[in-house]
Amino acid sequence: MATLPPIANNPDIRFLGALLGDVIRDYGGEKLFAATETIRRASVERHRGLGDGAAIDLELEQLDLDDTLEFVRGFMLFSMLANLAEDRQGFAAEEGAELSAALDRLAAEGIDKDAVVALLDRALVAPVLTAHPTEVRRKSMIDHRNRIAELMLVRDSGMIETPEGDAVEDAIRRQVALLWQTRVLRRERLGVADEVETALSYLRDVFLPTVPALYQRWDRALGRRCPSFLKPGSWIGGDRDGNPNVTAASLTLALERSAEAVLGHYLDTVHALGGELSISSARVGVDEGVEALAEASGDDAPSRRDEPFRRALSGVYARLAATHEALSGRPAARPGRLVGKPYPHPAAFRADLVTIARGLATRGGGALASSGALARLIRAVDVFGFHLATLDMRQNSAVHGRVVAELLKTAGVEADYLALDEDARVALLRRELANARPLTSRFQSYSDETASELAIVEAAAAAHRRFGVEAIRVYIVSMAKSVSDLLEVNLLLKEAGLYRPGDKPEAAIMAVPLFETIEDLDAAPEIMSDWLALPEIAAITKGRGHQEVMIGYSDSNKDGGYLTSTWGLSKGSTALTPVFEAAGVGMQLFHGRGGAVGRGGGSAFAAIQAQPAGTVQGRIRITEQGEVIAAKYGTCETAATNLEAMASATLLASLEPVRLSNAENQAFSGAMDKLSDAAFHAYRDLVYGDDSFRTFFRQMTPIAEIANLKIGSRPASRTKSDRIEDLRAIPWVFSWAQARVMLPGWYGVGQAIAGFEDKALLAEMAEGWPLFAATLANMEMVLAKSDMGIAARYAALVDEPLRPFFTTIRDAWTLTHDGLLQTTGQSRLLERHPALETSIRLRLPYIEPLNLLQIELMKRHRAGDQDTRIGDGILLSINAIATALRNSG
């Protein structure tokens, strides 16, 4: 076995860990502190090979229930602070992920900045925030964590006092104490409104200040103004798939609150600019445009008579305040004394700002207009408009089918639409889409489901009129399996005037298929070929310039396993490329990734670069879910790092020359076909080959307990069935992570590698093929976080006849571990990734005791012990383990 190098503990972890120890002693007592330290040392020594698990078991057995809860809280907080410390040390930053580095790489390939700007002119990079329930921490906990991060920056600067006058280290200690005393678990399940507010906190507090500042950096790197290609999106308030709590009211609420947030930011910035631009007409000549704005403002204060910029901004502020009330339904926090007419759209607001910027540029070489707050504000308007983040709509295709069937029946068009075959459905839908007559009638009664879906599209139409077309651009169809699934969406949009028939049909919102299972991915090229061949659709997509396709990582993984999902997504993307080329339409892929590797997680920088040649084309959207949002966008610094990595990777994937020769591509693809086939059969045999496996899964993992976590507004299963097919991918992945098996992130790969004869070819693929390298790197991280010894303790919870399933899993883990090391030429996991290795090894001793306590609490709970502290302890341990693992969902 390879000798592990010593861990170089980073100074922030030592400092914050010491503070936490002091807080535990002060607020939990000396006894709890001593027990915590004893267990911590025993666990650390075992992981260093200096002790065994018996000592840890003995110490844990001595904790009573109250002490257990406090101990779990302490270990969870250490992991939370360790995460913070790693983020501060640039752990998230990846070498070469800056835009300037990408430009240098491209220049070395003969691709100049003109070519880059030409791509960016038509590009879109969009992180899309979703409310998928994998963030176990309360927002209050995250807020305290972020305040500690801010105070650590003050400490870094050498200051001993905060701007408020507190001693810096005392202020940090106070925040750690507040963390200790803050309730970890939510008392009530999150509602959609709660999820909207949580997302807004990131968009308002992080994206709004960070994105314009990033663009200023990119302007300098390009030597000119960078096109506004990076824009955030959101599903929160529009994603109805399996969530009956999302309604037309939710959609309107999300948009109103977003408008309130972004317009509030604009008002604050304009107010600050008014204080700054004290330019006097007695000192400089004033541009005619600025003078006209000043005269139109209605600001006749004698003190500002010679200050045209301030007067102009007074008028802008008044109009913004009126816009704020019109769009959000609430008056501005600081309404101002002037009354203005609301801006009809963001472009009118931007035009006024540009007029002021041009006025500043007429003197002094333009130094006052070239950057600064005004330039950032203009950029913010380009990116965020009055909507802040484009909101996607999403619903399951089965719902659309039922609704359309009801509409056609009540309108006397077709008595049994669902009984028609696909050709008949397409023909009927196309006839209806060509007809301007509506299907709905105010004199008709509809089912609750149909009424709800009609209300949603009406709300979307109202949103376009109120907030602008950028507010909602996409309608995603989950479980899309046919052309009719997409036409049904257009038919519903037509009822609200969002699809207009005619010689030149128009669709204000794009119907987007989501291909999720392995079978769906295989069928995607034929479906899209048929879709783009429809004359009315061809006219719409060519006018728009692109058509989006969403590919799902989570369900394809649950369906076919890690390797088959990864390869199926890559092959599916590749097969779509000639379809779009033949149609003369740009392809925009939307990657539905989660935080865990089993749901597409891992480095976005590596993943985007590993996309097949010709599939990125400067346009990519990626979901950001659950705990990943706080990890990647919790602070302005981490947000800037991750957003720039996405932008840089998109440039490289779109413009760098293809590195593989045709012969290499054929050889590698052929090998992956064989590996994928072997991995698929191994995975399917285990998970779906024996009905009793679902019982094994539910007994071994805390899946039932996870369902009690109040971490989202959406149910854990699509139906009341206990079948794995009906379980959502998030609890599937989350449960295996808690039990330290991480099965969705590796199972089947070991068997595939072991059965593949040409091991030298696999090594060549790992070295020279970005897709295979990224696949193995993500799997390597998962293997390093898994622990078959701890997993065996969970397996002991299972009925004796079912335990052979675990033997199969453990043997497959060994095969996967050994096969990965052989393929990558390493002597141990993460040998070539020392920072990640240090991170994982640092936290493993803090996770093991949590697992052991969780197992004991689950035993007592399942045996019928009704003590509420046991249930709380299980949920607290789930929270703590997820925090320590970081990307568990």
Side-chain angles (χ1 to χ4, degrees), residues 493-508:
L493 293 173
K494 177 172 149 309
E495 292 302 305
L498 293 169
Y499 181 99
R500 294 180 177 273
D503 293 337
K504 293 183 178 180
E506 299 175 2

Side-chain angles (χ1 to χ4, degrees), residues 798-845:
V798 175
D799 294 340
E800 187 76 39
L802 298 176
R803 292 181 188 175
F805 280 123
F806 178 68
T807 302
T808 300
I809 292 171
R810 184 172 53 198
D811 291 346
W813 186 93
T814 301
L815 272 179
T816 308
H817 170 273
D818 295 349
L820 181 132
L821 294 184
Q822 181 183 12
T823 302
T824 58
Q826 298 178 100
S827 62
R828 66 176 190 277
L829 293 177
L830 302 176
E831 183 177 4
R832 296 177 183 171
H833 306 281
L836 181 57
E837 179 185 37
T838 296
S839 169
I840 292 175
R841 285 181 55 205
L842 173 71
R843 62 191 64 235
L844 287 180

Side-chain angles (χ1 to χ4, degrees), residues 1-324:
M1 184 174 178
T3 303
L4 298 177
I7 297 176
N9 204 346
N10 98 36
D12 285 351
I13 293 180
R14 287 198 299 271
F15 170 70
L16 293 170
L19 286 185
L20 177 61
D22 292 342
V23 165
I24 292 174
R25 182 188 286 111
D26 293 343
Y27 291 90
E30 190 65 40
K31 178 188 172 193
L32 176 65
F33 173 77
T36 300
E37 272 297 288
T38 300
I39 295 168
R40 184 189 70 81
R41 283 196 298 269
S43 188
V44 169
E45 287 178 0
R46 192 190 82 78
H47 278 268
R48 289 176 176 172
L50 303 176
D52 57 36
I56 302 171
D57 288 336
L58 182 63
E59 296 295 338
L60 291 174
E61 288 170 3
Q62 297 178 30
L63 296 175
D64 61 26
L65 266 178
D66 289 329
D67 287 342
T68 293
L69 266 63
E70 295 298 271
F71 170 82
V72 172
R73 174 189 292 271
F75 267 41
M76 182 207 68
L77 291 182
F78 174 81
S79 296
M80 193 173 185
L81 295 173
N83 294 346
L84 183 157
E86 288 178 349
D87 291 342
R88 280 175 37 78
Q89 296 297 323
F91 181 75
E94 297 178 77
E95 186 177 352
E98 303 85 4
L99 193 80
S100 58
L103 292 175
D104 289 342
R105 271 178 62 175
L106 292 172
E109 297 284 355
I111 301 164
D112 61 18
K113 292 179 181 178
D114 289 340
V116 171
V117 172
L119 175 77
L120 295 181
D121 272 331
R122 61 180 189 275
L124 174 69
V125 175
V128 180
L129 309 188
T130 80
H132 284 59
T134 59
E135 173 57 87
V136 292
R137 299 168 298 177
R138 289 180 63 211
K139 185 62 167 57
S140 297
M141 302 288 288
I142 296 171
D143 289 343
H144 288 307
R145 180 258 188 214
N146 290 344
R147 179 58 181 151
I148 292 170
E150 293 169 1
L151 289 167
M152 291 293 284
L153 288 174
V154 176
R155 182 174 180 262
D156 291 344
S157 70
M159 297 174 62
I160 60 173
E161 288 186 353
T162 68
E164 297 79 16
D166 296 325
V168 172
E169 295 200 1
D170 287 347
I172 298 172
R173 185 189 306 271
R174 188 178 302 116
Q175 290 298 318
V176 175
L178 286 169
L179 271 175
W180 177 258
Q181 296 181 91
T182 297
R183 175 170 43 85
V184 175
L185 301 174
R186 298 184 180 95
R187 294 194 186 279
E188 303 292 335
R189 182 172 291 277
L190 282 176
V192 178
D194 301 314
E195 293 168 339
V196 167
E197 293 303 317
T198 298
L200 276 180
S201 69
Y202 292 104
L203 291 165
R204 179 188 59 240
D205 301 336
V206 178
F207 278 78
L208 271 171
T210 300
V211 173
L214 260 182
Y215 274 110
Q216 286 193 319
R217 183 191 305 171
W218 297 343
D219 289 346
R220 292 191 293 270
L222 286 169
R224 68 196 81 178
R225 193 173 193 274
C226 180
S228 297
F229 68 96
L230 187 142
K231 299 180 179 182
S234 174
W235 276 12
I236 304 170
D239 177 15
R240 309 185 313 288
D241 182 17
N243 191 346
N245 302 305
V246 177
T247 63
S250 304
L251 183 140
T252 302
L253 171 70
L255 291 168
E256 286 181 347
R257 294 291 291 123
S258 294
E260 182 178 7
V262 72
L263 287 164
H265 174 80
Y266 295 162
L267 284 165
D268 289 345
T269 307
V270 170
H271 178 73
L273 281 168
E276 178 182 336
L277 296 182
S278 56
I279 299 167
S280 170
S281 57
R283 295 284 302 154
V284 299
V286 179
D287 178 82
E288 290 181 3
V290 175
E291 193 65 56
L293 282 178
E295 290 301 314
S297 71
D299 185 354
D300 56 3
S303 61
R304 288 190 289 275
R305 187 173 300 148
D306 67 331
E307 295 175 338
F309 286 93
R310 280 180 165 170
R311 291 172 59 214
L313 286 166
S314 293
V316 170
Y317 189 95
R319 296 195 69 182
L320 263 185
T323 309
H324 183 286

Side-chain angles (χ1 to χ4, degrees), residues 722-756:
D722 68 347
R723 299 190 324 149
I724 293 172
E725 292 92 332
D726 296 322
L727 182 69
R728 293 192 182 280
I730 289 171
W732 167 254
V733 172
F734 202 106
S735 301
W736 288 116
Q738 288 285 313
R740 301 294 297 285
V741 179
M742 312 284 192
L743 182 142
W746 59 267
Y747 193 87
V749 182
Q751 295 96 313
I753 291 176
F756 193 83

Side-chain angles (χ1 to χ4, degrees), residues 348-415:
F349 172 43
R350 186 186 191 279
D352 283 353
L353 297 178
V354 170
T355 295
I356 293 170
R358 285 174 178 162
L360 291 172
T362 59
R363 294 288 185 274
L368 293 178
S370 60
S371 60
L374 179 58
R376 288 192 294 274
L377 179 57
I378 293 171
R379 178 69 77 175
V381 178
D382 287 344
V383 173
F384 302 108
F386 290 162
H387 61 283
L388 184 57
T390 299
L391 182 64
D392 291 355
M393 301 167 68
R394 184 169 80 128
Q395 183 56 285
N396 195 286
S397 61
V399 175
H400 300 143
R402 293 193 297 268
V403 170
V404 167
E406 183 175 347
L407 293 180
L408 292 170
K409 182 177 181 179
T410 56
V413 175
E414 171 56 51

Side-chain angles (χ1 to χ4, degrees), residues 649-722:
T650 302
L651 277 182
L652 295 171
S654 302
L655 294 174
E656 274 198 311
V658 176
R659 300 201 176 278
L660 294 183
S661 67
N662 288 336
E664 287 174 323
N665 189 55
Q666 289 180 2
F668 293 174
S669 296
M672 274 294 273
D673 281 336
K674 292 179 181 178
L675 290 170
S676 173
D677 185 63
F680 176 79
H681 285 97
Y683 176 85
R684 294 288 301 188
D685 286 348
L686 175 73
V687 176
Y688 300 106
D690 186 331
D691 281 345
S692 61
F693 183 80
R694 60 182 169 182
T695 304
F696 166 80
F697 162 65
R698 291 182 179 277
Q699 290 184 1
M700 178 177 173
T701 73
I703 176 63
E705 291 77 10
I706 285 170
N708 293 323
L709 276 176
K710 299 175 175 63
I711 58 176
S713 65
R714 196 170 72 167
S717 287
R718 292 186 170 91
T719 71
K720 294 181 179 180
S721 161
D722 68 347

